[in-house]
Amino acid sequence: MTPDMTRAEWAACTDADKPVAYTETLGSDCISFTDNLSRIRVRTTVVPWNTTFAEVIGFDTIGTSAFAEVNTPSPPTVVFCPSGCPAWR
């Protein structure tokens, strides 16, 4: 699985299992925060993986995805880059 998701992949990503405490950010349902910004949740898109043994029962690929939830520092740190943040996509 590649860690380099494009902007289009982030925009198309959906997180159907996201708990109600999380609110999506602008641009992607798969990046969300709690209302008080104390937790962040990120989900990746479904990526197909080729199978070897599952081909015996008729599956060529299986779809995998991942998610992570983390606590943020209190209070959250906000970074402001007037000319853009280098190395951030």
Side-chain angles (χ1 to χ4, degrees):
M1 182 161 82
T2 177
D4 299 322
M5 289 175 58
T6 65
R7 289 179 192 240
E9 288 173 318
W10 281 114
C13 185
T14 58
D15 186 358
D17 300 324
K18 178 175 44 185
V20 295
Y22 288 85
T23 304
E24 77 177 70
T25 60
L26 295 175
S28 181
D29 182 48
C30 288
I31 303 172
S32 54
F33 296 85
T34 55
D35 288 342
N36 61 1
L37 302 177
S38 65
R39 291 187 60 81
I40 301 171
R41 178 181 168 96
V42 177
R43 174 174 291 282
T44 62
T45 58
V46 176
V47 176
W49 283 89
N50 293 331
T51 63
T52 301
F53 299 111
E55 290 177 2
V56 174
I57 58 172
F59 294 99
D60 294 330
T61 61
I62 58 170
T64 61
S65 67
F67 77 92
E69 293 183 20
V70 297
N71 291 324
T72 59
S74 182
T77 303
V78 177
V79 177
F80 176 69
C81 304
S83 59
C85 295
W88 288 10
R89 293 188 211 190

